């Protein structure tokens, strides 16, 4: 198989996506933390490459005393920040490699939170176990049936609880993942939901990321019983010259790179 067939867009089921992404994040955990760990911090909650912090945005509301689940926690910097604010967080991730970094960071900082290795499609918690569920680029973009994730979150969330998640802004899927001028020309249809897939020489997926439109995400939320409170599209801040993958000052000043959905489970 040539290199042109190693990266493509094709349909992928949840089982294949789960295997691919678990292996990917286990293998990439060290490199990911080496590259992005400083930006994310060890006891901090950064929503996106634009650098929006929960300390400033307060999208979760008052977290003190709240039972909070962080999905796709990675090294769990956000969960540790929540603990430092007086919350009672639990950090969950599919990748043992990322949770290994979470455990090491707990040793370094002295801020410890429960770590759980599990699939976002089958959360190992009782109904209404949490006051808040959140994730910064975790879980949601990596499963084929993201509507099922919304339903699982609704199940473990108490009535009146809040669900906040950030993902790559759907319009970014129109362009190549290029932080330079090559990433300013539209080349894909916004309406093509085929996931981005990297695969090996045998055609086995090694990394999978899903695409949904803004309307798709809203329908997933509404279908799971949520009420959409806000849709935040962080602007690229002045003085931020960092590049993270396809995020860059050049692109960030022209169109959004991140969408943050703020939703609530009705109290009745």
């Amino acid at each position: 198989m040539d290199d042109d067939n190693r990266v493509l867009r094709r349909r992928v089921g949840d089982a294949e996506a789960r295997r691919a992404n678990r292996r990917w994040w286990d293998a990439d955990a060290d490199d990911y933390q080496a590259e992005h760990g400083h930006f994310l911090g060890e006891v901090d909650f950064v929503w996106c490459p634009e650098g929006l912090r929960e300390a400033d945005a307060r999208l979760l509301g008052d977290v003190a005393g709240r039972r909070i689940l962080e999905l796709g926690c990675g090294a769990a910097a956000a969960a540790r920040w929540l603990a430092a604010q007086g919350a009672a967080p639990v950090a969950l991730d599919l990748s043992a490699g990322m949770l290994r970094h979470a455990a090491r960071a707990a040793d370094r900082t002295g801020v410890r939170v429960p770590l759980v290795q599990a699939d976002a499609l089958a959360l190992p918690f009782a109904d209404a176990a949490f006051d808040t569920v959140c994730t910064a680029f975790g879980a949601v973009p990596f499963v084929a049936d993201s509507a099922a994730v919304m339903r699982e979150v609704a199940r473990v969330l108490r009535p009146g609880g809040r669900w906040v998640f950030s993902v790559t802004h759907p319009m970014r899927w129109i362009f190549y993942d290029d932080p330079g001028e090559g990433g300013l020309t539209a080349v894909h249809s916004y309406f093509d939901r085929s996931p981005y897939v990297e695969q090996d020489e045998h055609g086995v997926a090694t990394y999978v990321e899903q695409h949904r439109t803004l309307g798709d995400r809203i329908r997933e939320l509404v279908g799971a019983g949520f009420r959409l409170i806000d849709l935040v599209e962080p602007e690229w801040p002045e003085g931020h010259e960092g590049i993270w993958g396809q995020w860059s000052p050049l692109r960030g000043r022209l169109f959004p790179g991140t969408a943050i959905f703020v939703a609530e489970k009705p109290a009745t």
Side-chain angles (χ1 to χ4, degrees):
M1 180 179 292
D2 60 36
D3 289 341
D4 290 340
N5 291 324
R6 300 286 182 90
V7 178
L8 68 163
R9 294 193 176 196
R10 67 171 173 86
R11 296 296 178 186
V12 176
D14 275 319
E16 185 179 8
R18 183 184 303 109
R19 287 192 299 269
N21 287 325
R22 180 173 178 175
R23 290 171 182 167
W24 172 273
W25 289 109
D26 282 349
D28 192 60
D30 292 349
D31 290 342
Y32 182 87
Q33 285 302 118
E35 184 175 359
H36 302 300
H38 179 74
F39 180 83
L40 294 172
E42 293 208 312
V43 185
D44 202 356
F45 195 144
V46 183
W47 278 109
C48 52
E50 289 85 353
L52 181 67
R53 283 173 162 76
E54 176 59 16
D56 300 315
R58 296 294 178 182
L59 301 180
L60 302 182
D62 184 8
V63 300
R66 300 283 183 173
R67 298 164 298 166
I68 302 179
L69 173 62
E70 184 189 6
L71 288 181
C73 66
R80 288 189 295 277
W81 181 86
L82 290 166
Q85 305 305 304
V90 174
L92 179 147
D93 204 283
L94 182 65
S95 166
M98 296 305 292
L99 291 175
R100 183 178 67 250
H101 280 277
R104 291 174 180 172
D107 290 339
R108 289 192 297 269
T109 64
V111 182
R112 301 185 182 280
V113 300
L115 303 177
V116 177
Q117 184 179 12
D119 186 346
L121 290 168
L123 298 175
F125 307 109
D127 296 354
F130 297 97
D131 300 301
T132 305
V133 182
C134 61
T135 184
F137 283 80
V140 176
F142 301 108
V143 297
D145 191 358
S146 48
V149 173
M150 305 296 171
R151 294 191 296 271
E152 267 295 88
V153 170
R155 181 184 65 77
V156 303
L157 195 61
R158 67 162 177 81
R162 185 166 287 196
W163 164 223
V164 185
F165 64 94
S166 61
V167 293
T168 300
H169 197 288
M171 76 171 293
R172 284 289 175 108
W173 286 76
I174 301 170
F175 307 97
Y176 287 128
D177 281 352
D178 183 342
E181 292 188 0
L184 300 181
T185 302
V187 293
H188 299 294
S189 168
Y190 175 77
F191 302 104
D192 181 3
R193 276 80 163 182
S194 301
Y196 169 89
V197 179
E198 296 178 10
Q199 59 187 27
D200 62 20
E201 65 274 17
H202 304 294
V204 176
T206 57
Y207 178 88
V208 179
E209 191 167 344
Q210 305 284 339
H211 168 52
R212 299 292 181 271
T213 68
L214 286 173
D216 291 338
R217 291 291 181 217
I218 292 171
R219 282 184 289 275
E220 288 178 348
L221 286 166
V222 172
F226 287 103
R227 179 173 67 91
L228 183 66
I229 298 173
D230 199 359
L231 172 57
V232 180
E233 299 166 296
E235 297 186 34
W236 195 268
E238 291 295 328
H240 180 18
E241 298 301 320
I243 293 177
W244 180 321
Q246 47 101 349
W247 278 266
S248 66
L250 173 66
R251 303 179 86 200
R253 290 169 185 148
L254 294 174
F255 50 88
T258 299
I260 308 176
F261 294 82
V262 184
E264 185 178 75
K265 181 177 178 179
T268 57

